[in-house]
Amino acid sequence: MTVWGLFIFVVVLGVYVEYTQNTNTDSCSTLTVSHDSLLVEYGEPVELTCSIPSKPSSQYKLGWESQINPVQIENETSVVWRSPGLTEWEVNGRELFCFLTVNVAPNQDQCKKRVHLSLYKRPDSMKISSESSVWSEGHMMKLKCEIKNVGPLQSLTVQWTRVDQNKNRTVTEISYGSFSSSGEERKSGNVTATLNVSASRDEDGVQYQCAALLKLEQLQQPQVGTSEPLNITVHYRPTITQPSNGTVSVTTGNRLVLSCSAHGNPSPQYSWSSPGNMNFINSSILIISSVQSEDQGQYNCTAYNDAGSDSVTVMVNVVVDYKLIIIAICAVLGVVLLVTGFSFWFYKRYRRTHSATISSTT
Ligand SMILES: *[C@@H]1O[C@H](CO)[C@@H](O)[C@H](O)[C@H]1NC(C)=O
Ligand SMILES: *[C@@H]1O[C@H](CO)[C@@H](O)[C@H](O)[C@H]1NC(C)=O
């Protein structure tokens, strides 16, 4: 009997709980809000409406439960939460509810609808700078990005973009915690982010830019600000690209042209030194219009600028033209033969005339 009684009691209780829950969900499903989620830019006006389709038969209250501007009304079917210009960072992460309370004696029936409201702020200004306007090769340099009054800080990512002369882009992102900031993480504040760059010659002519990104769920375009682009100049010592160390052979009488070129910033200046006479030519090109054997030897090209110098040595080997010598010898021999032949003929002829004279006199 007691078992049966307990069973009936449990069933009745179950039905009762089911019933009250049903009435709860019924009145709650009629509660509608204009936005489930809303992203507001700092200082912009906000209006959120909460409504019910009809007045409940019992006494009720409709309102907005909030840290800022809470409202509550009776006998109306809609209630508006408004701010003429939202600047309260407290809305981020705090609860904002629309509620409906219906008095069903003896208990009170309440339901709530949450609205996810978030506030963000675009930076007042952004500035990129370098600790020095001209970089020297081999040093570590700091780029600084200063962002004024952006928030919420905890959602901020600073993005660095590097664009080289081939239009190749490299992007580096630094998130909250890895840059220095003043202000609370849920609010807006000032940010200084730095990027360390090794001043190699590859950085010469490269452009850097920084951007502020707010990684907020409802923000489609996270980029809220960018700096001006910053052009980098790196001074580096010259490197000779032409000629290379080596030997060049030239035949006597020919023209010798030695041309020197180098990469460097600022643009390098050149000098050539030639053997023996220690002549220095302040030009990238050395020309000898007719090479003689005394021109043989070491030629040095030096390319230099503020940052340093580079030099190469070219050995010039002068080849004597034997063809010319052979032709000359042949010519001389020919002349000698011709002269000898002529003298012999002349001598014989002279002897003949003289012997005739001698014989006629005798
Ligand atoms: C662009 O940069 C990447 C990474 O530094 C490099 O691997 C790639 O070769 C570059 N492309 C060009 C066209 O310079
Ligand atoms: C940010 O900088 C501005 C001016 O530079 C200053 O007035 C403001 O107080 C700073 N804000 C914070 C949170 O430090």
Side-chain angles (χ1 to χ4, degrees), residues 164 166 168-170:
D164 68 15
N166 304 322
N168 203 357
R169 296 170 74 85
T170 316

Side-chain angles (χ1 to χ4, degrees), residues 209-223:
Q209 196 166 23
C210 69
L213 311 185
L214 283 175
K215 303 235 165 142
L216 296 165
E217 224 177 283
Q218 306 109 309
L219 197 60
Q220 249 104 55
Q221 178 52 261
Q223 187 169 307

Side-chain angles (χ1 to χ4, degrees), residues 131-142:
E131 57 188 304
S132 148
S133 63
V134 173
W135 294 4
S136 296
E137 189 179 22
H139 292 104
M140 267 323 265
M141 301 305 283
K142 266 193 174 64

Side-chain angles (χ1 to χ4, degrees), residues 93-356:
R94 287 278 170 83
E95 309 281 276
L96 178 66
F97 290 106
C98 168
F99 66 87
L100 172 68
T101 312
V102 183
N103 285 322
V104 191
N107 29 21
Q108 228 182 30
D109 192 4
Q110 194 187 49
C111 60
K112 292 176 172 184
K113 263 234 160 113
R114 185 168 189 238
V115 174
H116 186 72
L117 188 65
S118 29
L119 182 65
Y120 77 101
K121 190 178 175 310
R122 294 176 186 275
D124 288 342
S125 68
M126 290 199 57
K127 196 177 140 218
I128 187 169
S129 59
S130 160
E131 57 188 304
S132 148
S133 63
V134 173
W135 294 4
S136 296
E137 189 179 22
H139 292 104
M140 267 323 265
M141 301 305 283
K142 266 193 174 64
L143 288 177
K144 197 160 75 173
C145 181
E146 289 167 281
I147 311 171
K148 285 271 173 280
N149 210 358
V150 66
L153 288 172
Q154 62 186 357
S155 305
L156 183 72
T157 291
V158 179
Q159 188 187 61
W160 293 96
T161 306
R162 175 189 187 272
V163 180
D164 68 15
Q165 283 164 317
N166 304 322
K167 302 273 176 243
N168 203 357
R169 296 170 74 85
T170 316
V171 175
T172 310
E173 290 193 352
I174 306 168
S175 48
Y176 184 73
S178 304
F179 48 74
S180 74
S181 56
S182 67
E184 290 171 46
E185 59 177 21
R186 287 177 180 277
K187 300 184 178 181
S188 66
N190 302 329
V191 169
T192 303
T194 54
L195 184 72
N196 292 324
V197 182
S198 165
S200 71
R201 55 186 62 199
D202 295 342
E203 296 299 316
D204 188 44
V206 165
Q207 206 173 62
Y208 280 92
Q209 196 166 23
C210 69
L213 311 185
L214 283 175
K215 303 235 165 142
L216 296 165
E217 224 177 283
Q218 306 109 309
L219 197 60
Q220 249 104 55
Q221 178 52 261
Q223 187 169 307
V224 289
T226 56
S227 73
E228 293 287 305
L230 178 73
N231 294 313
I232 304 300
T233 302
V234 181
H235 279 183
Y236 56 96
R237 69 177 195 88
T239 307
I240 294 177
T241 52
Q242 187 214 316
S244 42
N245 289 312
T247 306
V248 171
S249 293
V250 207
T251 307
T252 44
N254 281 1
R255 204 169 131 94
L256 172 68
V257 178
L258 291 173
S259 173
C260 192
S261 62
H263 281 314
N265 191 25
S267 286
Q269 288 184 292
Y270 299 89
S271 81
W272 272 106
S273 75
S274 44
N277 51 5
M278 295 306 284
N279 270 349
F280 282 95
I281 300 160
N282 283 319
S283 159
S284 64
I285 299 181
L286 175 142
I287 300 172
I288 299 173
S289 46
S290 175
V291 171
Q292 301 307 313
S293 46
E294 63 264 29
D295 293 325
Q296 177 159 309
Q298 281 190 0
Y299 290 75
N300 292 302
C301 170
T302 303
Y304 58 95
N305 65 12
D306 300 351
S309 65
D310 189 21
S311 59
V312 293
T313 303
V314 177
M315 267 304 300
V316 172
N317 210 357
V318 177
V319 181
V320 180
D321 194 346
Y322 287 104
K323 243 186 333 190
L324 263 177
I325 292 174
I326 289 165
I327 289 167
I329 290 171
C330 288
V332 169
L333 271 176
V335 168
V336 167
L337 276 175
L338 214 70
V339 168
T340 325
F342 182 74
S343 317
F344 190 66
W345 171 79
F346 189 78
Y347 172 73
K348 271 176 82 177
R349 204 190 143 113
Y350 175 82
R351 273 248 328 242
R352 205 181 295 144
T353 18
H354 275 257
S355 44

